[in-house]
Amino acid sequence: MPKQGDAVFLERDTLHPSGHRGITVFLPSGEKLGYVTNQHHAALDWAMQRSNRIDAHVAAVNEPVIRGKRVPGWGAFHIAVTLHEGVAAV
């Protein structure tokens, strides 16, 4: 399971299980971590189309608690994304 601070990679315009297009989050190993939720998809997709470089990492891991016990390997991942704009050569 990824830990806070681990790098991830984003791929836009991928098929989402809902049948729509989305942004998929991958671990460096190539394993699919999941998808960017609908509420954040449009703004991130727009920004990714306009950036030259993207740095993304796991900012937080929320493990669910069921009957007072944590369930490892299952939960919500918060991803921090930094998009870098290109600088025109002078």
Side-chain angles (χ1 to χ4, degrees), residues 5-58:
D6 287 354
V8 294
F9 300 95
L10 306 177
E11 184 178 333
R12 57 177 295 281
D13 199 27
T14 58
L15 187 60
H16 189 277
S18 68
H20 298 286
R21 306 304 285 182
I23 297 172
T24 306
V25 180
F26 292 97
L27 299 174
S29 66
E31 180 182 358
K32 185 186 311 180
L33 182 60
Y35 300 92
V36 175
T37 60
N38 291 341
Q39 68 192 53
H40 301 295
H41 170 262
L44 183 57
D45 185 65
W46 181 88
M48 286 176 69
Q49 290 179 49
R50 289 155 180 78
S51 67
N52 286 341
R53 189 178 57 133
I54 300 165
D55 294 325
H57 68 275
V58 176

